[in-house]
Amino acid sequence: MFTAFISDLHLSPQRPDITRIFLDFLRQDATRADAVYILGDLFEHWVGDDTIQDEFNHSVVTALGALTAQGVPVYVMYGNRDFLYRSGFEKTSGAKLIGDPTEVDLYGTRTLLMHGDTLCTDDVRYQAYRTRVRNPVNQWLFFLLPRFIRRGIAAKLRRASTQEKQVKRREILDVSISAVEATFREHRCNHLIHGHTHRPARHAHLVDGRDCQRWVLADWHSHGEYLRCDAAGWTVVKL
């Protein structure tokens, strides 16, 4: 048995091939897992649980429900694109929403899970934006808007994000090493898994004399990929 970690799928009706790979993953590899963790940005955007019945959202959420009904636990972390899940998503999918960060025991190895955007501290503009949109009052006001207006706002924010990434320095868009090291110190763990940066890799860090490992999950831009963790070790599986 194994535990699977994925993130940054950015599922949308405009990317049917990636959606098909994900649904196949849920019907095949995921059924043999001890658990599946989705560390943010499962959807390109999520503007409220009242969109669950939309054809595309419903197809994905019910596929998650089919997996959890088989007894495979699914844990979903908020991402920077889909942080507006509520209890309706949990009820329909059977998945459990988890905080960022979350600590887990992986076959005897204490491991910290994050989406990864809070590690990008050099991107000051993004961190200020994140603080605003995560404010409960702002979210309450957002949910008062009609769905078509919420979708329009989400589309506008995506366009603005894409434009900003084209002009920002590459280093700003990646994690800050000082933030990574501070996280290892705060949680006193030697293993970290996160996504967000779309730069899959395994990094080694020496923190206060401790050998630490940081696994960055791949985005699902051109193919699917998950990190498989079991008692024997950790490997990347491409779909």
Side-chain angles (χ1 to χ4, degrees):
M1 301 296 287
F2 64 93
T3 299
F5 295 89
I6 58 177
S7 73
D8 300 282
L9 286 74
H10 296 275
L11 299 180
S12 74
Q14 289 71 41
R15 305 176 66 229
D17 291 346
I18 293 300
T19 302
R20 177 185 54 78
I21 293 172
F22 176 62
L23 296 181
D24 287 345
F25 164 74
L26 295 181
R27 288 189 291 260
Q28 298 170 16
D29 291 35
T31 61
R32 300 187 294 273
D34 285 328
V36 174
Y37 285 83
I38 304 173
L39 301 188
D41 289 355
L42 170 62
F43 290 93
E44 178 66 6
H45 64 81
W46 187 267
V47 299
D49 284 2
D50 57 350
T51 65
I52 287 176
Q53 295 306 318
D54 291 358
E55 182 178 2
F56 178 78
N57 290 350
H58 189 259
S59 67
V60 174
V61 174
T62 54
L64 287 170
L67 178 63
T68 57
Q70 296 179 59
V72 179
V74 175
Y75 302 94
V76 178
M77 183 176 285
Y78 300 105
N80 58 292
R81 298 291 184 92
D82 56 357
F83 52 86
L84 294 175
Y85 299 124
R86 294 297 184 266
S87 60
F89 174 82
E90 284 190 308
K91 182 178 180 180
T92 307
S93 67
K96 178 177 175 55
L97 295 172
I98 58 175
D100 181 1
T102 288
E103 293 184 23
V104 296
D105 186 319
L106 286 180
Y107 311 100
T109 299
R110 193 162 63 89
T111 304
L112 186 67
L113 310 178
M114 304 178 72
H115 175 55
D117 56 338
T118 56
L119 298 172
C120 301
T121 53
D122 292 337
D123 193 344
V124 178
R125 283 175 57 88
Y126 170 75
Q127 296 300 333
Y129 159 80
R130 187 183 189 281
T131 299
R132 290 195 303 272
V133 298
R134 297 300 182 100
N135 184 298
V137 174
N138 290 336
Q139 292 183 6
W140 177 77
L141 292 172
F142 182 76
F143 285 136
L144 294 178
L145 299 172
R147 276 177 288 182
F148 78 93
I149 293 180
R150 282 182 266 146
R151 291 192 183 98
I153 292 173
K156 182 178 180 180
L157 290 173
R158 288 199 307 276
R159 290 193 296 270
S161 175
T162 300
Q163 292 171 357
E164 281 202 4
K165 287 180 180 178
Q166 293 174 352
V167 299
K168 286 181 178 178
R169 289 185 295 109
R170 180 179 176 84
E171 295 80 5
I172 290 179
L173 297 174
D174 204 353
V175 301
S176 163
I177 298 302
S178 61
V180 170
E181 293 178 350
T183 299
F184 277 122
R185 290 190 183 96
E186 177 183 356
H187 293 272
R188 299 199 60 79
C189 60
N190 297 345
H191 293 79
L192 167 64
I193 303 173
H194 72 82
H196 180 66
T197 63
H198 299 193
R199 300 175 185 181
R202 174 182 174 275
H203 299 274
H205 300 271
L206 184 63
V207 181
D208 301 335
R210 292 184 290 122
D211 290 321
C212 300
Q213 294 184 22
R214 176 170 62 94
W215 289 81
V216 184
L217 302 175
D219 64 282
W220 287 38
H221 177 71
S222 58
H223 66 278
E225 183 174 309
Y226 68 91
L227 178 63
R228 175 188 171 114
C229 301
D230 58 28
W234 299 10
T235 57
V236 172
V237 179
K238 294 189 176 182
L239 301 171

